Amino acid sequence: MNNKKPNIAVLIVAAGSGERFGADVPKQYLPLLGRPVLNWSVDIFSQHPDIKSVYVAIHPDHAGQFAAIAPGISAIHGGGTRQQSVLKGLEEIARRDKPDYVLIHDAARPGLSTELITNICITLKINEAVIPGLPVTDTIKRTNGASVKTESRDNLYAIQTPQGFKFDTILALHRQHADKSLTDDAALCEIAGPAVKIVAGEKGNFKVTHPEDLALMEQTIAARCGDIRTGTGYDVHKLVEQAGRKLMICGMELQHTHVLEGHSDADVGLHAITDALLATICDGDIGMHFKPTDARWKNADSSTFLRHAAGLVAAQGGIITHVDVTIICEAPKIGPHRDAMRARIGGILALPLNRVSVKATTTEGLGFTGRREGIAAEAVATVRLPFTSRPVLRDDDIRKWGT
Ligand code: CTP
Ligand code: MG
């Protein structure tokens, strides 16, 4: 038996203009609980252990916007219709990679769950085409304007994405039927391809089409991530005179007579936020994840640590909703750099500016910060987690630790 892990790629189609939604910006770039709609699916696929690579088909006019919100994710220029965007995407994936399978997903469906992705991947092991669907529960009627006729809803399904296929099969079908106009990829299999397997879709995986859908999606995801956590972080680094070393605070280089001493770049602000994020998921502290004795972190850019902590939150299905950091020092002045720092932190955490707060205070000449011996930073992070990630106390633990 071949136990090698299959190479599964994902193609997210996001080249549409969202005409029915009618906003100035295409719906996939609008904010949804603090993250662009598109990022929800990019992030969930990127963090899924069964998925090897994620590609996004975008409109060429949105290349700059896309690079800003999803750095490091491969962008492919889509086409004039969804079907053309998929074909262009698959052709580009074929040039860059040779995946065994591909999952094709609409960016307009940000509410899919990790479990749904897992289910599609597992079902693909014994099927060439797998799609999520929900049995239709409403009564279905057909009308020609003049009369109305009730249709049987027996065996009718409302079909969603991601749709999973053997890569070579779906690419060949898309090439062969590029002239036809279809609304999903599995329709190609119905013309000439393999049998299509329907697995259980999810109510929360509906397509954002009209403005009211976005509000409903926000409520759906918020309800799923209602376990609100708060974490604090605190850090101190010593001020020293050292030629050639930069003073980094909250990801920005500041000009000053002194710099902060430390194994990494000693960015006291980013360290405090990193600890605050780790605290929300009860996952130790920065020193546990990045040993101060490890040569890899010598003079390291502390944005790496912060990004790692954010990745751990995301891996639990969490959403960072807000971070706040206070820098405690007499000098340098933080105020003039405040907004640049907020933008930098927001860039690292994919958070908009109104979810990142940077403050500063002196200690009126008192204590080590007052004597300018060091700089301290204190941070608070707020995260929403799915209730399922709550640690469960087993009977043994209760016997051992309970009173
Ligand atoms: N899509 C695409 N390329 C196109 C058209 C659509 O990649 N030329 C993508 C959309 O970005 C969306 C998905 O296909 O993620 C499903 O399409 P739909 O919900 O219809 O989005 P839009 O086409 O953008 O919306 P509308 O039809 O209202 O204009
Ligand atoms: Mg459309």
Side-chain angles (χ1 to χ4, degrees):
M1 197 165 71
N2 182 7
N3 281 326
K4 202 173 139 273
K5 209 172 169 178
N7 175 350
I8 307 179
V10 169
L11 172 62
I12 300 174
V13 282
S17 54
E19 256 169 53
R20 282 170 290 178
F21 197 97
D24 296 342
V25 179
K27 58 192 180 184
Q28 59 272 31
Y29 294 102
L30 290 174
L32 167 65
L33 288 172
R35 256 194 289 180
V37 166
L38 174 56
N39 283 60
W40 285 86
S41 35
V42 167
D43 292 350
I44 198 165
F45 282 116
S46 302
Q47 282 139 16
H48 196 285
D50 295 341
I51 303 301
K52 177 135 178 277
S53 47
V54 176
Y55 300 84
V56 183
I58 60 163
H59 192 286
D61 290 353
H62 304 139
Q65 204 164 351
F66 178 75
I69 63 162
I73 300 289
S74 297
I76 297 167
H77 288 176
T81 64
R82 182 188 183 281
Q83 202 174 333
Q84 286 163 5
S85 293
V86 173
L87 177 57
K88 289 182 93 175
L90 295 177
E91 294 285 12
E92 188 57 31
I93 296 174
R95 268 191 289 279
R96 298 193 207 175
D97 191 8
K98 284 271 166 284
D100 302 307
Y101 299 98
V102 63
L103 307 192
I104 304 172
H105 184 65
D106 292 335
R109 294 184 188 272
L112 81 166
S113 73
T114 304
E115 291 74 25
L116 178 59
I117 301 171
T118 306
N119 196 14
I120 302 270
C121 292
I122 290 172
T123 314
L124 269 177
K125 286 184 183 170
I126 47 165
N127 295 274
E128 277 189 47
V130 180
I131 63 176
L134 286 174
V136 171
T137 52
D138 292 325
T139 296
I140 301 294
K141 293 188 194 284
R142 188 183 298 277
T143 177
N144 57 10
S147 63
V148 172
K149 182 176 173 291
T150 303
E151 300 277 347
S152 162
R153 68 178 176 219
D154 286 354
N155 305 317
L156 279 190
Y157 283 79
I159 297 303
Q160 308 176 335
T161 69
Q163 301 193 349
F165 306 94
K166 235 178 150 179
F167 184 79
D168 294 343
T169 309
I170 197 69
L171 173 59
L173 284 169
H174 262 285
R175 280 178 179 163
Q176 209 179 334
H177 299 286
D179 57 323
K180 299 203 176 63
S181 177
L182 302 162
T183 52
D184 81 341
D185 306 290
L188 292 162
C189 301
E190 297 151 26
I191 300 172
V196 176
K197 172 82 182 166
I198 299 181
V199 296
E202 295 175 335
K203 278 202 169 154
N205 184 29
F206 59 87
K207 193 164 68 139
V208 173
T209 306
H210 300 105
E212 59 269 30
D213 297 334
L214 194 60
L216 186 61
M217 183 58 77
E218 213 147 30
Q219 286 167 19
T220 306
I221 296 179
R224 206 162 65 197
C225 291
D227 185 357
I228 296 169
R229 304 290 187 91
T230 310
T232 71
Y234 178 73
D235 193 34
V236 172
H237 281 270
K238 192 173 167 182
L239 279 165
V240 293
E241 284 179 286
Q242 190 181 323
R245 190 173 164 87
K246 293 176 184 169
L247 172 63
M248 299 299 296
I249 301 181
C250 293
M252 301 302 297
E253 184 185 345
L254 270 61
Q255 299 306 318
H256 188 45
T257 51
H258 290 61
V259 294
L260 289 172
E261 189 180 61
H263 183 61
S264 66
D265 68 3
D267 189 325
V268 68
L270 295 191
H271 291 185
I273 303 171
T274 303
D275 264 356
L277 282 180
L278 291 172
T280 64
I281 51 170
C282 306
D283 197 355
D285 57 30
I286 191 169
M288 206 183 93
H289 291 266
F290 301 96
K291 296 255 174 313
T293 47
D294 190 332
R296 269 183 302 167
W297 313 125
K298 180 111 185 89
N299 298 324
D301 177 344
S302 294
S303 64
T304 308
F305 309 152
L306 185 55
R307 214 168 271 121
H308 178 77
L312 291 173
V313 171
Q316 294 217 12
I319 310 162
I320 303 167
T321 62
H322 181 249
V323 293
D324 172 34
V325 62
T326 305
I327 309 298
I328 305 156
C329 62
E330 303 291 325
K333 285 248 173 297
I334 301 298
H337 307 283
R338 183 200 307 270
D339 286 341
M341 289 174 171
R342 292 172 64 211
R344 174 80 180 118
I345 296 164
I348 299 165
L349 297 176
L351 281 179
L353 276 187
N354 63 357
R355 292 176 185 276
V356 182
S357 155
V358 172
K359 316 194 297 297
T361 184
T362 70
T363 46
E364 303 287 340
L366 299 171
F368 71 88
T369 49
R371 291 189 298 272
R372 302 175 185 232
E373 292 164 6
I375 296 180
E378 203 169 65
V380 177
T382 309
V383 159
R384 302 186 76 114
L385 290 182
F387 276 103
T388 48
S389 74
R390 209 179 246 182
V392 178
L393 274 182
R394 284 160 303 161
D395 288 350
D396 278 358
D397 295 323
I398 294 167
R399 269 196 292 279
K400 198 163 149 200
W401 304 110
T403 53

